[in-house]
Structures are given as structure tokens and as C-alpha cells.
């Protein structure tokens, strides 16, 4: 037996021999476990929750002994945020902006570019007042150049370890949560910067991008016949190198410059020969920029998927790149470039590098310093002052936390020794509060003992496991410093709860014996009027009911007085619990009638002796009591007689109606509009709902109410016009109506109340032979309401929430055959005839004359008909799931991208590998909602998954990625 259960049993062992009225103060204190010995530190390893005197393991260990003062605060040393001497300043990653930060650092280290940007005019003068910057106004850069100026100045002279580039990122309109193509960003930003600086008057500023990043090469074509060489000069800002199939950077450069043969259909037209000739073409480097950007083309386009793939090939490159063998112009390189790079030191290998930046080495010693302009330095000084103020503030907060922690340390060391109560006056305090008092990470709140109170507002004995008994001295200090309550002294021990628990325990122990006694008493025959009526169901389960009832009484502590940790129970939850409890029948309530009296059915109850009832009453004192002479409910007797009469009447009515309308009941020999019967020119219409309800009544007249009227108003609009065309009643609306023969209609008019007569008449028109057949409805069609109904139906199909659709995966490019899986070719259970193109509303049907009489009517809602129609729509569109399909719950307002994520979890197919279609239409717009794409409930979407691309020679592996479709669309990078 677990220790807590042993303590529980020991605390209440006395209740086996003590009657409730004999409970004394000693028994009460025993129930509250005051007799238990306190635990000793070092011997007891963890807190004994069953022992209110155990004060070990509640969090005191962190306070006893010497404590490092750094544990008194959670504030990092502000000096850790300070830039170290001779180190660079970092940039904060705002989410997915590492590519921006990388290029900012690269451009910052380009001293010529930094110097040129410092020379750009700035609007910072607007923020200057006299000799300084306005203190009350923060500087906000207005242009891209000003943002770069300010960022570079901070990167150069800031005291911070890292700075925030959010102003620059925001100015470009970049999404910080979206990873972008770094190479594309570099190209676009360089183009934007060059365009911006081209308006500057200073040539050193205006031409800086070209001077630093622009090189020149020529497309050289040589005719094989005459040897004529033609050149096409071109400038470049980066070289795009193919890495597929290569291991070294030099191999990639060689491929970029390799000679291409122009033969066959690709022959070159030579101006000298005046004819197409075989030729060779290559790129010839003429001049290299001061800063050479080499873009490694890690992303290739896969024609199968229509997306880019990332190549994770390892590429080796050296710190010093000798470009002399590749450059046509020989006067450029220095001596240092003629040396070949060493294979070991100075050589790197990467599978992720996508851009390499090399600086031109010259014999001239480059300048290592760039002076920050005075106005920018003043802005940096101001930011540094703010940083220093922040450091001082953080240091002061750390000091205050340390001082507070030291004071708490002394308080705990003093009070913890005085916590045990011993033989002196004591009080109970919540264990949770004591643990929070000893928790250094949270401020101490007022004491709250409400969660431990019983219904008598005293300490509940079952809550003793979450309480601790402390000395009155310690309690006085706690309440004086922290407040709260209520205070639980020795007077808070609840005698009422202890007495009730004693009674319950005694009954539990007595239950088994009483169960045998009652069983023996039930075997005896009850004579005279001494017996009592008891429900048979209650008798079968009375032992279990009694045990559950005793357990509930014993477990009232969990509910306490409706409070838990000082918070009241949720109102809705408590109401729901009470409702469920009320619905459960208590003992002997199974023979109560709806009026609270003895039920009239003797099959549900039996007579028990007075002795047996007396025993049962000990466990169920509130059970309803019915002596044997008690009369049954008089109201139920009257209702029973009336019910018998009604059942006989219903049977008679059902038999009469079934005899009068046999074919309608059996659904035999029914007329059809698409195949009009020859022996009549008139057919009547009633709602199919009326027919179904009437058939239910005729089949089971004792369980259903009679149908008294034909509710044809559900088929009409508010104007009284018919809601169906002749064509729709032969197809999709045929499930809403029932056709009635004229002879049947006469019977229906006699048996039921008819609110509206609806009929269709066939007539012959015209003089030609054979004459044209015309069908006329009465009442006539209401075109406006019919159109409104169709629009509403379409809206309902596109405004759904949590509807089911089906996704079918197509494997091995096999087409889905209609004969093997017809459900995949349509979005519902419609037939091919149902899919015929409907005529636009308003077009006149020559076979169905339904003019509106020339009267223009105002459009009015017809919710009664729509509600009736929705039920039929749901039933008619139910799709039968086939093998290979999975059902998904979707809403009309969710996007296709969100659906693809659901499909990814269901089929393990990545979104960018999914090709989706519905009814032959490709679904490609990820931002469009399912409603706008025509995906309706019960639709079937076909999924074709792209296969990964084949392995290439000399490629380690290929990782598929989904590139952003939008790229930098909508950002400031495309504004120029």
C-alpha cells in the first residue's frame, strides 16, 4: 500500500469503532494528522504531502547556506551587450533576414563604397538645431542611401555588440518572415543603388557602383571558314557559374569561359563570307572589377515540377583566386596573383555557399580607415549615449534585485527555522503558497487558503495533504508582511466534516453486510399493506448506487465550496454538471411518472417488506417513498386511456388512407414528366416531404402523428409563384416533388387540407401536323424568385465551413477511368444528363409556357423554401468514398495553399510537388480561396505527385525546395 494511503487509513482507523455522535476533539486532530512527527532534513529526501508537519523539500534548499548573488536576478550583465575592443559590430536577424545582413556586412567592408556613401548629401540637417541634434526627435532616414549611411556609421563606431537593421529592411518593404533568393536580392539592390547614386553630382559617388563592381567581357565568335572574329562587348556585375558536375571553383570558371561550337542548325552567319558557317563562340574576360562577385548557381529549374531545385554539391575554393589565366588583358594582375593557392591552408569547401566575393589585390597599400562624417558621428554618439544609459539602468536593476534577494535570503534563514509548530499554537498555510514564498523567480503574493475550505468555511480534512502546519509565530509574520487569509487556526478544524466522514465510513463498512440482509429480506413474500413499492432497476443496482453516493459524499472536498485556488468555477461548466446530475436517476426515481407520482406500470416495480425498505432508507434517506396502498398517478391513468383511444383512432385513419391511396403508399404506377402518360392531360404536384411524412404515419400509426394538411406553400415563393421550371422538375428538382394522378388528387382533397393547388397541363398548339406540345403550370413560374433561389444555392455551396471533400491520388500517371471509378469524374452523384448545360434563367422554354403576366415583382427572400431545399441538396450530393481517396474537412474561405498543407499531412506529398485538379481544371493559384476555385462540399480533387529529379553525375545529393513564387514583387527593390 502506498504511504499516502497508509496515512489516510491510519488517520481514520478510529471511525470503525466510534459512532458519529461520539466524535471528540482528539478524533478530529487525529483526522487532521496533527499527531504525525515532523521530518528531518537530510533524512527525508522529498516532501511528504500526506504529512502536514513535513517542511522538507518545499524549496528551502536554495536559500540555506551561501548563495551566489547572481542567482538573485534574471538580468544579464549589460556589459555583455557591449562591443569588444577591435571587434566588428553584428546585425540582428529579424526572422528570415540573414541574407540581408550578410550583404550589409560585405558592403560595409568595401571601404570605397562606404566612403562614397558618406559623401552623399543627407536630410539630417533638418534634425539639427544650432550645434546639435534635436533631443526630442529621433532621426529617421528618408532614403536608401541615408539608411546605409546610418547603418555603416553604427557598424563602424557603435558601442553596441550588434545593431538593429529593421529601419533599412522596412524601407525596402521586405517581409522579415519570408526567406528570399540572396542572389536576386544582391542584383536588385545593386541596380537600385546604382540608379539612386546616378543622380549625384560628385563623380566619385555617382560612379562608385561601376567602379567597384562592374567588369567587362566580350562574346567572341570566330568563323571556321575565314577566321573572321566578331566581338560583342558587355558589362557585368557578377559572374553566374554553373556548379553542377564540378568540385572546384576553378572548374566552374573554366566552364563559364569554355568554347562553344556553332554547327548544323545553329551555324553562324558570317558577314565576311555572307553565308552561314561553322564557328566557335566563347566569353572572353576583358577587365575585372575591384570587387568580383561570383554567384554559384545552386538553384536549377526542374521542368517536371515547374519549381527550382537546390543543389547541395560541395565546391572547393581558395582564399586567393588567381584570375590571370582567364583574363585577356595582361597589365592588370600583381605579383601576388601569380602564386598558386595552397591546397591545405587557405582553401575551403562548402555545400551551402552561394556567393563568393573577392577583392582585387594591388601593389598600392589600401587605406584601412574611413572617416565618419560629423553629422553621422553625432547620431552615433547619441545612440551610444542611449546605450550607456541603458547599461546604467540595467546595472541598477541588477543591484536592486541583488539587494532584494539578500533581504529575502535573511528572511528565509530566519523564518524557516521557526516554521515547525511543535507543541505551541499552530496554524495551517497552503503548501502552494509556501513553495511560491521560497521561489526566487516569482514575487510573493498574499496568502490564499480558499481552495482548502469546506462548505462550512473551515479547513476540509481531505485538503490536509496540500496544507502545512506552521507555528503561530511564523504565521503572524507572514500575514503581517504579505496579508491574505483566511487564517486557519485550531478552531478551523471542521467537526461537521469529520462527523460526516465518520458516518460515511461506517456505512461503507456496513454495506456488504446490509447487502446480504436486504437480499434475504427480498426473498420473503410481502403480506397485507405493510410493503413499499421499489423500482426493479433500483433494486438491481442499489448496492452500486449506495457506494457511488457514499463516494460522492466522501469526495465533496474536490468541489469544496465552489472555489479552487481562489477562483470560482466556470459558470457554464457548473451549469452543465448540474444538468447532467439532474438527468441521472437516483434510487427509486425509476418508478416516478412525469407528474412526480407513482407510475402506472406495475412491470417496472415490485413490493418489498417494511424491514427491507428501512435498510434501504439508511443509504437513500431522500428516495421517494410509496407504500403499497399508494394509488397510481390519476393524471397518467387519464392519459393512458386517452392514448389507447388515440392509437385506435390513428390505426383506423391510417387504414382508411392506405386503402384510398394504395399506389401512392406503395410508390407504384407513378406518373413521370419526362415520359408524360397518354391517358391524362393534367398532373398535380405535392411536396415529396408531405408524401414521406404521410407514409411514415401509415406504416406506424401508433408512433407517428397523423398528417392533416398538404403543405404546398413550401414549393411556392412569397408571391405565390412556382419555384421550378418544367426542365428542373424532370431533373434535379424531381426529388423535391411528387406527381399525383387526377383521381388521387380528388381523394387527397377529401382526406387532407390543401393550402395551394399546383398542377401542370399538357396542350396541343399550332396548325401543323403533328402539332407542338406545350406544358403550362398553375400557378406560373416566378422568374425573379427562381433566379434568387439559384444564386442562393450557389452561395451556400461557396460559403461552407467544415465540409468534407475527397482527394484522390493518381499513381503512375494512370488516368482515372469512368467505368472503374465514376465518382472521380464528377463532384457529386449527378448523372451525365444532370450535367447538361442549363439554359440561362430568363430564356423562354418553348415547351413550358410560364409567363409572369407582365407584372414586375419585387425580389423577396424565400428562406422557408431554401431551408427545405438544403436538406435535399446535402442528401443528393453525398459522395461515396472509393479506394485511394482520403476525406478532408475544409472551409470555403481557406486558401489553396492551406489545403496543400492538409494534403501534405494526409499523403506525405510536399506542397510544391502537388498538381491538383478538379473536373479537368488545374488548381494553381495558392492564394485563391476554395470557394472561388469552385471547390464545393463532396468535391473530388485529383492529386498527381511530382517525382524527384534523377541523380546527376558528380552530384552528392539534390534537395528539393519550394522557391517563393512572388520573389521581391511589391517591395522597394522593384520600384526603380
Amino acid at each position: 500500500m502506498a504511504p499516502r494511503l497508509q496515512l489516510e487509513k491510519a488517520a481514520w482507523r478510529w471511525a470503525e469503532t466510534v459512532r458519529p455522535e461520539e466524535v471528540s476533539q482528539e478524533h478530529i486532530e487525529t483526522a487532521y494528522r496533527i499527531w504525525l512527527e515532523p521530518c528531518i532534513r537530510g533524512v527525508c529526501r522529498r516532501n511528504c504531502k500526506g504529512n502536514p508537519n513535513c517542511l522538507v523539500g518545499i524549496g528551502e534548499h536554495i536559500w540555506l547556506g551561501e548563495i551566489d548573488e547572481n542567482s538573485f536576478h534574471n538580468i544579464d550583465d549589460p556589459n555583455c551587450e557591449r562591443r569588444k575592443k577591435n571587434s566588428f559590430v553584428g546585425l540582428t536577424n529579424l526572422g528570415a533576414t540573414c541574407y540581408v545582413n550578410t550583404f550589409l556586412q560585405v558592403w560595409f567592408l568595401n571601404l570605397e563604397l562606404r566612403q562614397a556613401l558618406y559623401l552623399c548629401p543627407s536630410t539630417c540637417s533638418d534634425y539639427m538645431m544650432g550645434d546639435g541634434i534635436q533631443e526630442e526627435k529621433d532621426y529617421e532616414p528618408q532614403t536608401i542611401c541615408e539608411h546605409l549611411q546610418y547603418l555603416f556609421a553604427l557598424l563602424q563606431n557603435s558601442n553596441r555588440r550588434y545593431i538593429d537593421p529593421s529601419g533599412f529592411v522596412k524601407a525596402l518593404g521586405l517581409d522579415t518572415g519570408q526567406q528570399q533568393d540572396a542572389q536576386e536580392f544582391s542584383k536588385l539592390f545593386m541596380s537600385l543603388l546604382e540608379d539612386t547614386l546616378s543622380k549625384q553630382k560628385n563623380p566619385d559617388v555617382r560612379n562608385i557602383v561601376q567602379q567597384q563592381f562592374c567588369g567587362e567581357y566580350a562574346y567572341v565568335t570566330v568563323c571556321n571558314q575565314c577566321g573572321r572574329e566578331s566581338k560583342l562587348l558587355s558589362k557585368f556585375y557578377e559572374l553566374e557559374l554553373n556548379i553542377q558536375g564540378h568540385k572546384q571553383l576553378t572548374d566552374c570558371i573554366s566552364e563559364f569561359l569554355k568554347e562553344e561550337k556553332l554547327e548544323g542548325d545553329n551555324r553562324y552567319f558570317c558577314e565576311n563570307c555572307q553565308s552561314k558557317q561553322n564557328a566557335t563562340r566563347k566569353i572572353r574576360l576583358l577587365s575585372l572589377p575591384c570587387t568580383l562577385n561570383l554567384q554559384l548557381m545552386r538553384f536549377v529549374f526542374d521542368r517536371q515540377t515547374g519549381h527550382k531545385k537546390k543543389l547541395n554539391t560541395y565546391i572547393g575554393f581558395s582564399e586567393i583566386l588567381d584570375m590571370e589565366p582567364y583574363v585577356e588583358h595582361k597589365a592588370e594582375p600583381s605579383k601576388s596573383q601569380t602564386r598558386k593557392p595552397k591546397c591545405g591552408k587557405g582553401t575551403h569547401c562548402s555545400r551551402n555557399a552561394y556567393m563568393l566575393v573577392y577583392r582585387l589585390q594591388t601593389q598600392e597599400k589600401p587605406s584601412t580607415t574611413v572617416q565618419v562624417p560629423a553629422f553621422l558621428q553625432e547620431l552615433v554618439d547619441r545612440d551610444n549615449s542611449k546605450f550607456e544609459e541603458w547599461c546604467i539602468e540595467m546595472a541598477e536593476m541588477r543591484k536592486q534585485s541583488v539587494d532584494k534577494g539578500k533581504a529575502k535570503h535573511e528572511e528565509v534563514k530566519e523564518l524557516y527555522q521557526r516554521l515547525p509548530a511543535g507543541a505551541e499554537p499552530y496554524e495551517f498555510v497552503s503548501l502552494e503558497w509556501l513553495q511560491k514564498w521560497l521561489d526566487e523567480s516569482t514575487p510573493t503574493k498574499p496568502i490564499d487558503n480558499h481552495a482548502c475550505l469546506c462548505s462550512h468555511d473551515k479547513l476540509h480534512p481531505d485538503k490536509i495533504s496540500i496544507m502545512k502546519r506552521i507555528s503561530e509565530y511564523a504565521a503572524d509574520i507572514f500575514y503581517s508582511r504579505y496579508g491574505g487569509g483566511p487564517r486557519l487556526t485550531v478552531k478551523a478544524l471542521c467537526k461537521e466534516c469529520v462527523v460526516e466522514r465518520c458516518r460515511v465510513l461506517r456505512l461503507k463498512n456496513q454495506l456488504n453486510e446490509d447487502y446480504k440482509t436486504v437480499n434475504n429480506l427480498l426473498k420473503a413474500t410481502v403480506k397485507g399493506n405493510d410493503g413499499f413499492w421499489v423500482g426493479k432497476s433500483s433494486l438491481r443496482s442499489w448496492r452500486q448506487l449506495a457506494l457511488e453516493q457514499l463516494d460522492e459524499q466522501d469526495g465533496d472536498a474536490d468541489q469544496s465550496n465552489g472555489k479552487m485556488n481562489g477562483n470560482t468555477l466556470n459558470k457554464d461548466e457548473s451549469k452543465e454538471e448540474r444538468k447532467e446530475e439532474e438527468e441521472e436517476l437516483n434510487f427509486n426515481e425509476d418508478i416516478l411518472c412525469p407528474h412526480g407520482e407513482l407510475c402506472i406500470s406495475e412491470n417496472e416495480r415490485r413490493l418489498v417488506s417494511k424491514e427491507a425498505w428501512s435498510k434501504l432508507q439508511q443509504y437513500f434517506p431522500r428516495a421517494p417513498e410509496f407504500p403499497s396502498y399508494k394509488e397510481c398517478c390519476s393524471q397518467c391513468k387519464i392519459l393512458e386511456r386517452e392514448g389507447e383511444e388515440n392509437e385506435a383512432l390513428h390505426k383506423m385513419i391510417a387504414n382508411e388512407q392506405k386503402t384510398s391511396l394504395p399506389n401512392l403508399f406503395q410508390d407504384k404506377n407513378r406518373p413521370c414528366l419526362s415520359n408524360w402518360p397518354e391517358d391524362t392531360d393534367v398532373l398535380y404536384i405535392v411536396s415529396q416531404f408531405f408524401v414521406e411524412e404521410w407514409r411514415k404515419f401509415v406504416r406506424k400509426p401508433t408512433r407517428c402523428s397523423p398528417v392533416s394538411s398538404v403543405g404546398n406553400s413550401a414549393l411556392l415563393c412569397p408571391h405565390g409563384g412556382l419555384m421550378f421550371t418544367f426542365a428542373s422538375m424532370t431533373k434535379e428538382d424531381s426529388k423535391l416533388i411528387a406527381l399525383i394522378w387526377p383521381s388521387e388528387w380528388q381523394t387527397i382533397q377529401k382526406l387532407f387540407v390543401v393550402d395551394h393547388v399546383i398542377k401542370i397541363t399538357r396542350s396541343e398548339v399550332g396548325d401543323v401536323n403533328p402539332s407542338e406540345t406545350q406544358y403550362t403550370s398553375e400557378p406560373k413560374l416566378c422568374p425573379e424568385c427562381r433566379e434568387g433561389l439559384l444564386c442562393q444555392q450557389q452561395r451556400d455551396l461557396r460559403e461552407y465551413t467544415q465540409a468534407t471533400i475527397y482527394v484522390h491520388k493518381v499513381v503512375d500517371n494512370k488516368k482515372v477511368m469512368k467505368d472503374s471509378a465514376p465518382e472521380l469524374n464528377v463532384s457529386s452523384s449527378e448523372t451525365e444528363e444532370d450535367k447538361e448545360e442549363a439554359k440561362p434563367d430568363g430564356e423562354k422554354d418553348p415547351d413550358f409556357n410560364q409567363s409572369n403576366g407582365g407584372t414586375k415583382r419585387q425580389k423577396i427572400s424565400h428562406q422557408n423554401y431554401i431551408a427545405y431545399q438544403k436538406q435535399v441538396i446535402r442528401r443528393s450530393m453525398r459522395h461515396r468514398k472509393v479506394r485511394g481517396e482520403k476525406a478532408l474537412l475544409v472551409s470555403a474561405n481557406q486558401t489553396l495553399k492551406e489545403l496543400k498543407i492538409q494534403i501534405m499531412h494526409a499523403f506525405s506529398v510536399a506542397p510544391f510537388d502537388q498538381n491538383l485538379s478538379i473536373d479537368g481544371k488545374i488548381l494553381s493559384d495558392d492564394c485563391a480561396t476554395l470557394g472561388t476555385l469552385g471547390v464545393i462540399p463532396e468535391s473530388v480533387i485529383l492529386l498527381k505527385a511530382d517525382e524527384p529529379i534523377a541523380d546527376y553525375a558528380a552530384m552528392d545529393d539534390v534537395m528539393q525546395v519550394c522557391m517563393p513564387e512572388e520573389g521581391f514583387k511589391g517591395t522597394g527593390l522593384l520600384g526603380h
Side-chain angles (χ1 to χ4, degrees):
M1 185 181 293
R4 287 187 62 183
L5 294 178
Q6 291 177 344
L7 285 174
E8 177 76 15
K9 191 172 183 179
W12 293 95
R13 188 174 288 117
W14 55 269
E16 297 175 1
T17 57
V18 177
R19 290 181 294 180
E21 59 271 17
E22 298 172 346
V23 172
S24 65
Q25 182 64 26
E26 182 181 355
H27 295 137
I28 295 173
E29 292 187 352
T30 302
Y32 281 93
R33 308 176 197 177
I34 295 173
W35 50 275
L36 290 172
E37 292 292 330
C39 296
I40 302 174
R41 279 184 56 81
V43 179
C44 183
R45 296 184 179 180
R46 58 181 181 180
N47 187 255
C48 305
K49 289 191 176 181
N51 185 355
N53 299 321
C54 177
L55 297 171
V56 176
I58 60 176
E60 77 285 352
H61 62 282
I62 63 175
W63 297 99
L64 303 181
E66 296 301 321
I67 302 179
D68 181 5
E69 66 178 30
N70 287 325
S71 64
F72 291 137
H73 60 76
N74 57 357
I75 303 173
D76 293 332
D77 185 357
N79 288 318
C80 293
E81 302 297 308
R82 191 181 299 280
R83 178 183 186 177
K84 293 181 180 179
K85 189 176 181 180
N86 298 325
S87 65
F88 292 105
V89 176
L91 291 164
T92 304
N93 188 354
L94 305 177
T97 57
C98 52
Y99 68 97
V100 179
N101 293 352
T102 301
F103 283 108
L104 284 174
Q105 294 284 15
V106 169
W107 297 328
F108 168 74
L109 293 174
N110 189 311
L111 302 184
E112 292 80 4
L113 176 63
R114 195 196 315 173
Q115 181 65 59
L117 286 170
Y118 284 163
L119 294 176
C120 286
S122 174
T123 59
C124 183
S125 56
D126 297 339
Y127 295 85
M128 307 287 289
M129 287 186 64
D131 296 330
I133 299 176
Q134 300 180 41
E135 289 295 332
E136 70 279 1
K137 208 171 184 182
D138 289 331
Y139 171 61
E140 295 181 1
Q142 301 299 309
T143 64
I144 295 298
C145 289
E146 289 181 6
H147 276 286
L148 283 177
Q149 284 180 337
Y150 189 38
L151 276 177
F152 285 179
L154 289 172
L155 287 172
Q156 186 169 339
N157 291 338
S158 177
N159 292 344
R160 300 178 187 268
R161 189 161 62 94
Y162 50 83
I163 59 176
D164 185 355
S166 56
F168 174 74
V169 172
K170 184 178 179 181
L172 291 177
L174 300 177
D175 183 356
T176 59
Q178 183 177 3
Q179 181 64 50
Q180 293 281 18
D181 189 333
Q183 296 168 338
E184 185 180 4
F185 170 75
S186 173
K187 290 180 183 178
L188 291 174
F189 186 80
M190 281 289 103
S191 177
L192 173 63
L193 185 61
E194 183 178 19
D195 183 66
T196 303
L197 296 179
S198 65
K199 303 177 180 63
Q200 299 292 323
K201 296 179 180 179
N202 188 337
D204 293 335
V205 177
R206 183 173 61 247
N207 301 323
I208 187 62
V209 174
Q210 290 196 22
Q211 292 172 0
Q212 287 297 309
F213 303 101
C214 185
E216 187 176 36
Y217 56 57
Y219 290 98
V220 181
T221 306
V222 180
C223 176
N224 290 354
Q225 180 67 26
C226 67
R228 180 180 180 272
E229 181 179 276
S230 64
K231 293 182 180 180
L232 177 63
L233 300 180
S234 179
K235 293 181 178 181
F236 69 88
Y237 291 86
E238 64 276 315
L239 298 181
E240 298 181 346
L241 305 180
N242 173 39
I243 66 172
Q244 191 169 309
H246 300 301
K247 291 289 186 181
Q248 295 294 328
L249 175 64
T250 51
D251 296 335
C252 301
I253 298 175
S254 297
E255 183 191 346
F256 179 77
L257 300 174
K258 75 177 180 180
E259 197 171 79
E260 176 190 4
K261 293 182 179 181
L262 303 179
E263 298 175 340
D265 294 338
N266 200 27
R267 286 183 299 168
Y268 164 71
F269 183 83
C270 178
E271 293 288 343
N272 190 35
C273 300
Q274 285 297 306
S275 63
K276 284 190 174 184
Q277 301 291 340
N278 291 342
T280 59
R281 175 176 293 168
K282 65 178 179 180
I283 295 176
R284 183 180 297 167
L285 291 176
L286 301 179
S287 65
L288 296 176
C290 298
T291 301
L292 177 61
N293 292 328
L294 299 178
Q295 294 204 16
L296 307 183
M297 306 304 290
R298 289 203 173 273
F299 294 96
V300 296
F301 185 77
D302 180 22
R303 295 181 181 277
Q304 274 191 324
T305 64
H307 292 289
K308 292 182 181 178
K309 310 275 184 177
K310 182 183 178 185
L311 306 178
N312 285 337
T313 305
Y314 279 103
I315 293 294
F317 54 92
S318 60
E319 292 182 358
I320 300 176
L321 179 63
D322 184 7
M323 289 295 292
E324 184 176 7
Y326 308 109
V327 181
E328 181 80 7
H329 183 58
K330 300 293 184 182
E332 189 179 317
S334 64
K335 293 181 180 179
S336 61
Q337 288 180 295
T338 61
R339 297 196 306 269
K340 291 185 177 180
K342 295 181 181 180
C343 296
K345 187 177 181 181
T347 302
H348 303 274
C349 194
S350 171
R351 63 186 298 175
N352 295 316
Y354 49 80
M355 188 168 185
L356 301 175
V357 181
Y358 286 93
R359 289 280 294 162
L360 178 67
Q361 288 188 345
T362 61
Q363 293 177 343
E364 298 178 4
K365 189 175 182 180
S367 174
T368 57
T369 59
V370 175
Q371 190 69 28
V372 177
F375 74 93
L376 286 174
Q377 185 58 50
E378 192 166 353
L379 290 172
V380 174
D381 292 341
R382 180 179 177 184
D383 183 74
N384 287 338
S385 297
K386 289 183 178 180
F387 174 69
E388 296 300 332
E389 291 173 2
W390 176 83
C391 289
I392 294 172
E393 182 181 354
M394 290 297 103
E396 181 61 28
M397 290 176 64
R398 277 168 58 94
K399 182 179 181 302
Q400 291 177 3
S401 296
V402 169
D403 294 342
K404 188 176 180 181
K406 288 180 177 179
K408 181 66 174 286
H409 185 203
E410 294 301 321
E411 176 188 76
V412 172
K413 284 172 59 177
E414 174 197 356
L415 281 179
Y416 185 75
Q417 304 301 327
R418 299 293 303 271
L419 277 184
E424 61 184 288
Y426 59 84
E427 292 190 25
F428 285 93
V429 174
S430 164
L431 169 61
E432 182 183 10
W433 184 87
L434 283 174
Q435 290 172 332
K436 289 183 178 178
W437 171 64
L438 292 169
D439 186 358
E440 58 179 342
S441 64
T442 58
T444 305
K445 296 181 179 180
I447 301 171
D448 187 1
N449 291 325
H450 287 91
C452 309
L453 301 183
C454 67
S455 57
H456 312 105
D457 286 333
K458 292 185 178 182
L459 178 59
H460 200 295
D462 282 346
K463 294 295 185 180
I464 199 66
S465 61
I466 60 173
M467 303 297 290
K468 292 300 174 184
R469 191 171 72 100
I470 64 173
S471 65
E472 188 179 61
Y473 170 84
D476 287 339
I477 295 177
F478 283 150
Y479 283 106
S480 63
R481 292 182 182 177
Y482 303 107
R487 298 187 68 161
L488 302 176
T489 65
V490 66
K491 295 180 180 179
L493 306 183
C494 186
K495 181 177 181 179
E496 290 88 342
C497 286
V498 173
V499 170
E500 178 61 19
R501 170 64 65 81
C502 177
R503 185 187 73 83
V504 169
L505 290 175
R506 288 177 63 84
L507 283 175
K508 279 188 175 181
N509 293 333
Q510 188 183 337
L511 179 59
N512 289 335
E513 193 64 32
D514 286 346
Y515 179 71
K516 296 177 183 177
T517 303
V518 171
N519 279 348
N520 289 329
L521 291 173
L522 291 177
K523 295 177 183 178
T525 304
V526 181
K527 298 178 181 180
N529 293 328
D530 294 336
F532 290 84
W533 289 112
V534 180
K536 291 181 180 180
S537 175
S538 293
L539 282 176
R540 284 193 298 268
S541 58
W542 80 266
R543 182 185 182 186
Q544 183 64 28
L545 288 173
L547 190 60
E548 291 175 359
Q549 184 171 288
L550 291 173
D551 286 339
E552 288 177 5
Q553 295 172 4
D554 201 18
D556 275 346
D558 294 337
Q559 298 180 11
S560 189
N561 58 350
K563 299 178 182 177
M564 187 60 64
N565 293 331
N567 297 325
T568 57
L569 291 172
N570 183 286
K571 292 182 180 179
D572 293 335
E573 291 178 1
S574 59
K575 285 181 181 177
E576 194 66 28
E577 289 175 2
R578 285 198 299 270
K579 185 178 180 181
E580 290 178 1
E581 290 174 1
E582 290 171 359
E583 290 175 354
E584 295 178 2
L585 293 178
N586 296 318
F587 182 78
N588 218 30
E589 289 183 354
D590 51 330
I591 59 173
L592 284 178
C593 75
H595 311 103
E597 298 293 334
L598 183 62
C599 68
I600 59 177
S601 175
E602 293 189 7
N603 293 330
E604 298 176 6
R605 50 189 165 94
R606 66 167 290 185
L607 213 55
V608 302
S609 65
K610 185 176 182 180
E611 292 79 6
W613 176 250
S614 178
K615 282 288 182 184
L616 293 171
Q617 254 193 330
Q618 292 180 12
Y619 296 93
F620 310 107
R622 298 181 181 178
E625 183 178 288
F626 298 109
S628 58
Y629 54 81
K630 177 73 173 179
E631 291 290 335
C632 298
C633 178
S634 57
Q635 296 183 61
C636 288
K637 289 181 178 179
I638 296 173
L639 291 175
E640 184 181 32
R641 286 195 298 269
E642 292 178 351
E644 292 173 353
E645 295 172 358
N646 287 337
E647 286 183 4
L649 179 61
H650 288 179
K651 288 179 180 179
M652 182 183 69
I653 294 173
N655 187 57
E656 179 186 354
Q657 293 179 354
K658 180 179 179 181
T659 305
S660 302
L661 299 168
N663 289 339
L664 182 60
F665 174 72
Q666 298 176 10
D667 199 18
K668 291 181 178 180
N669 189 25
R670 306 313 307 156
C672 178
L673 289 180
S674 58
N675 187 16
W676 190 282
E678 294 295 333
D679 54 349
T680 183
D681 290 330
V682 177
L683 289 175
Y684 292 85
I685 293 177
V686 296
S687 70
Q688 185 63 31
F689 178 77
F690 158 76
V691 176
E692 291 175 357
E693 291 299 308
W694 173 73
R695 285 172 180 165
K696 287 180 185 177
F697 164 70
V698 174
R699 289 191 191 100
K700 298 178 181 179
T702 60
R703 297 185 183 181
C704 303
S705 300
V707 178
S708 58
S709 61
V710 178
N712 273 353
S713 58
L715 307 180
L716 305 177
C717 73
H719 310 113
L722 188 60
M723 295 296 295
F724 314 111
T725 64
F726 183 84
S728 72
M729 286 191 289
T730 63
K731 296 177 183 177
E732 66 270 14
D733 290 330
S734 62
K735 297 174 181 146
L736 304 178
I737 63 171
L739 296 174
I740 305 297
W741 295 102
S743 59
E744 291 177 331
W745 181 251
Q746 294 178 3
T747 304
I748 287 176
Q749 285 184 309
K750 295 177 182 177
L751 296 176
F752 306 98
V753 177
V754 179
D755 55 353
H756 296 281
V757 178
I758 303 176
K759 65 179 180 179
I760 298 178
T761 304
R762 180 181 63 176
S763 59
E764 305 294 333
V765 295
D767 299 331
V768 296
N769 191 16
S771 59
E772 182 182 357
T773 303
Q774 178 176 283
Y775 302 95
T776 307
S777 70
E778 184 181 322
K780 300 186 183 304
L781 174 72
C782 180
E784 291 89 349
C785 292
R786 171 69 180 174
E787 181 181 0
L789 171 65
L790 295 177
C791 292
Q792 181 65 41
Q793 289 175 351
Q794 294 300 315
R795 248 192 323 269
D796 290 341
L797 291 176
R798 284 168 174 76
E799 294 179 359
Y800 52 88
T801 57
Q802 292 298 294
T804 302
I805 65 168
Y806 300 89
V807 179
H808 184 89
K809 187 177 180 182
V810 182
V811 185
D812 298 332
N813 294 324
K814 291 181 180 178
K815 293 184 179 180
V816 181
M817 305 302 293
K818 290 184 180 180
D819 54 351
S820 62
E823 295 90 341
L824 301 180
N825 301 286
V826 293
S827 61
S828 67
S829 57
E830 295 174 333
T831 63
E832 288 300 318
E833 293 180 357
D834 291 331
K835 296 189 68 179
E836 291 180 6
E837 184 177 353
K839 295 185 178 180
D841 235 28
E843 272 192 30
K844 196 169 182 181
D845 189 341
D847 294 333
F848 195 42
N849 182 13
Q850 293 182 312
S851 63
N852 58 8
T855 307
K856 187 173 182 180
R857 301 172 181 172
Q858 183 182 2
K859 290 184 180 179
I860 302 177
S861 62
H862 36 270
Q863 298 301 325
N864 57 339
Y865 175 74
I866 292 171
Y868 173 69
Q869 181 89 333
K870 282 182 181 178
Q871 183 179 3
V872 180
I873 290 175
R874 284 195 295 268
R875 184 165 59 246
S876 64
M877 290 182 58
R878 190 170 296 122
H879 169 77
R880 185 177 181 182
K881 190 176 173 185
V882 298
R883 180 175 297 178
E885 287 182 2
K886 291 189 178 180
L888 300 179
L889 286 178
V890 298
S891 300
N893 59 355
Q894 77 179 68
T895 62
L896 181 63
K897 183 178 181 181
E898 292 169 338
L899 173 62
K900 285 184 175 181
I901 293 174
Q902 286 181 264
I903 294 175
M904 177 181 69
H905 292 302
F907 289 91
S908 299
V909 178
F912 40 80
D913 278 338
Q914 298 174 17
N915 295 301
L916 305 179
S917 63
I918 180 172
D919 296 335
K921 174 187 173 184
I922 302 298
L923 305 179
S924 57
D925 188 352
D926 286 347
C927 297
T929 63
L930 300 187
T932 58
L933 291 173
V935 179
I936 62 175
E938 303 293 321
S939 292
V940 177
I941 294 179
L942 296 186
L943 163 65
K944 182 182 178 301
D946 284 334
E947 298 298 328
I949 64 174
D951 293 336
Y952 294 99
M955 186 190 307
D956 294 313
D957 65 322
V958 179
M959 181 181 73
Q960 183 168 335
V961 297
C962 182
M963 300 300 296
E965 300 294 336
E966 296 291 328
F968 291 97
K969 181 180 179 181
T971 69
L973 292 171
L974 299 178
H976 66 290

